[in-house]
Amino acid sequence: MTDTRITDGHPVATRAVGTPMVEIDGVHKFFGELHVLRGVDLEIPGGSVCVVVGPSGSGKSTLLRCVNQLEEIDAGRIRVDGELMGYRTQTRGGTPELCRLHPRQVARQRSRIGMVFQRFHLFPHMTAAENVMEAPVQVKGVTKAAARARAAELLDRVGLADRAGHYPAQLSGGQQQRVAIARALAMDPELMLFDEPTSALDPELVGEVLAVMQDLAASGMTMMVVTHEIGFAREVGDQLVFMDGGTIVEQGTPADVLDRPRHERTQAFLSKVL
Ligand code: ADP
Ligand code: MG
């Protein structure tokens, strides 16, 4: 998705006043001595899809987890829709200082972000519909009737209208992952994070999950997707980011990065996955 469009030879800003949906600015993350994110800068425009690829251990999951505040960052800033994640600025004696937000406020920020993992993490003792209803009822105080109606709508959207009463064990991996996507959407997120959503699936079930994600992208959802599905990256991604060793080595349009990688490390990685 482009920020500007050329009309009559003049660039016309289509998002002139909008801030990017995600702004990652100089982010560092340590696990003890291990320096896992080493100064990551990334902007994701609202309504666009950013695909993140890179070798195992390069920090992809950690980056997603930092955006969603499952991990605290050690330096830098992350903003979602212009809002600083995890902190507020407070001016003391004329100097702005960062103060950690109260866990309740962190929870409120996190509730605006949906996340889908490699393993589906559905509640095994709840039906598909009950899994989708759970957070709106427990976190948002939505009535059960309203949550049930919305769950039916969302399960229909992911192609599972006829599976609402099934338990996870009665569903295939692809169906479970689609329930997990419906469950994340039930909170009306403004941003969706996907961490290798098809890596645990049998090959024949990958397509049905990617199709739901493609549909979601087409509806205008802002998405950050870690995946090894290069076809999906090329077709659905607006930008593609290659990470290695805790940094973004290369980024651009999927066609640029995939067809004309500029860095040796990107070329080496792509030669293995393409
Ligand atoms: P990727 O998703 O790209 O495979 P990760 O973000 O999972 O990479 O991991 C990046 C590095 O951080 C790896 O070396 C991993 O072992 C390490 N790491 C991830 N999570 C933790 C943790 N909770 N504690 C310690 N080290 C971690
Ligand atoms: Mg990972």
Side-chain angles (χ1 to χ4, degrees), residues 5-270:
R5 198 175 289 157
I6 306 293
T7 310
D8 302 332
H10 299 288
V12 175
T14 52
R15 283 180 205 285
V17 289
T19 45
M21 181 59 82
V22 181
E23 295 170 88
I24 298 170
D25 184 9
V27 165
H28 289 259
K29 172 69 187 171
F30 290 84
F31 287 115
E33 296 286 290
L34 194 63
H35 196 176
V36 175
L37 296 179
R38 298 165 170 259
V40 174
D41 299 304
L42 179 63
E43 281 194 2
I44 305 176
S48 77
V49 176
C50 175
V51 176
V52 182
V53 301
S56 177
S58 57
K60 307 178 301 292
S61 295
T62 303
L63 183 61
L64 284 194
R65 292 170 61 82
C66 287
V67 171
N68 200 21
Q69 302 194 64
L70 290 168
E71 304 288 352
E72 263 186 55
I73 59 179
D74 294 300
R77 306 266 190 282
I78 297 177
R79 288 187 176 78
V80 173
D81 203 15
E83 190 175 329
L84 192 60
M85 300 304 279
Y87 296 89
R88 65 191 161 79
T89 26
Q90 171 175 304
T91 310
R92 193 173 287 167
T95 329
E97 277 178 10
L98 283 186
C99 305
R100 186 87 194 134
L101 287 179
H102 189 277
R104 218 174 22 237
Q105 289 166 309
V106 173
R108 178 187 58 79
Q109 291 185 328
R110 293 197 54 215
S111 74
R112 296 156 56 201
I113 303 173
M115 189 153 178
V116 174
F117 302 89
Q118 185 173 338
R119 305 253 161 226
F120 330 117
H121 302 302
L122 296 175
F123 297 115
H125 60 290
M126 292 183 186
T127 63
E130 286 164 354
N131 266 281
V132 178
M133 293 165 58
E134 181 68 6
V137 170
Q138 297 302 331
V139 180
K140 283 194 170 170
V142 172
T143 66
K144 280 204 167 176
R148 193 176 299 281
R150 176 96 167 106
E153 214 175 276
L154 288 167
L155 287 171
D156 185 39
R157 183 166 173 194
V158 300
L160 294 173
D162 56 343
R163 294 290 188 275
H166 285 57
Y167 288 89
Q170 301 170 312
L171 299 171
S172 73
Q175 290 171 335
Q176 289 182 60
Q177 191 61 302
R178 286 186 282 148
V179 174
I181 294 172
R183 180 179 58 177
L185 293 175
M187 289 294 281
D188 295 318
E190 52 187 357
L191 169 67
M192 285 283 288
L193 309 175
F194 293 86
D195 193 357
E196 299 199 34
T198 60
S199 294
L201 298 177
D202 291 332
E204 74 272 23
L205 303 178
V206 167
E208 66 192 55
V209 172
L210 294 180
V212 165
M213 292 168 62
Q214 180 158 14
D215 193 52
L216 191 58
S219 78
M221 178 65 75
T222 311
M223 295 166 48
M224 192 171 176
V225 183
V226 174
T227 185
H228 300 297
E229 294 294 330
I230 299 299
F232 174 87
R234 190 186 287 278
E235 206 169 324
V236 182
D238 294 293
Q239 63 174 323
L240 191 133
V241 167
F242 172 67
M243 279 186 79
D244 196 11
T247 60
I248 293 179
V249 173
E250 186 159 351
Q251 72 188 100
T253 65
D256 276 345
V257 178
L258 295 172
D259 301 334
R260 295 171 290 278
R262 283 173 294 135
H263 293 265
E264 208 176 302
R265 280 192 285 173
T266 318
Q267 288 164 13
F269 174 76
L270 290 175

